[in-house]
Amino acid sequence: MTASTVDVETSPDGTLVIQPHGVLDADDAVELRRTLVHAVRHLRPLRLVLDLHDVPDVDPINLGTLVAACHLGDDHQVAVFLDRTSESIASRLFAAGVANHRLRQVGSAA
């Protein structure tokens, strides 16, 4: 994942929003993991939102990374949410152990 495929911003309420673009595949795995771990362990926002509206598919490695980010957030008192994901990705995340309350605006593209 290069700087051109992910946007990171802090909203006025302090929420850190990470918005990847495109398919998350094996080429993106290390950088996605590094970005999420840095955000949770070092930046420690109250809320971390992964806006996945522009991600059409996620490979199993990155799916596991997203699940692990939720658990890591719990360990560091950071609320992690996965917003605007497709129904397909949301069902895979739920099956992999992501709590339903973390999956917000499923199927919403806007």
Side-chain angles (χ1 to χ4, degrees), residues 4-87:
S4 63
T5 61
V6 66
D7 295 325
V8 179
E9 66 180 44
T10 302
S11 65
D13 69 356
T15 300
L16 185 66
V17 179
I18 297 175
Q19 184 180 36
H21 303 281
V23 174
L24 295 177
D25 57 22
D27 293 338
D28 304 314
V30 172
E31 193 60 33
L32 178 62
R33 184 174 58 247
R34 184 177 295 140
T35 299
L36 293 173
V37 168
H38 176 76
V40 172
R41 292 184 72 198
H42 300 286
L43 300 178
R44 300 189 66 174
L46 290 176
R47 281 174 303 283
L48 172 64
V49 171
L50 289 148
D51 184 340
L52 301 174
H53 88 275
D54 198 25
V55 176
D57 197 20
V58 178
D59 76 346
I61 293 170
N62 287 299
L63 189 80
T65 298
L66 296 174
V67 173
C70 294
H71 297 297
L72 184 64
D74 290 344
D75 291 345
H76 291 276
Q77 291 77 48
V78 175
V80 177
F81 298 100
L82 302 155
D83 284 7
R84 303 193 305 165
T85 186
S86 70
E87 290 182 22

Side-chain angles (χ1 to χ4, degrees), residues 82-109:
L82 302 155
D83 284 7
R84 303 193 305 165
T85 186
S86 70
E87 290 182 22
S88 170
I89 293 172
S91 67
R92 289 170 36 211
L93 287 164
F94 182 74
V98 172
N100 201 36
H101 74 274
R102 295 184 192 273
L103 301 167
R104 306 185 307 180
Q105 303 169 343
V106 173
S108 178

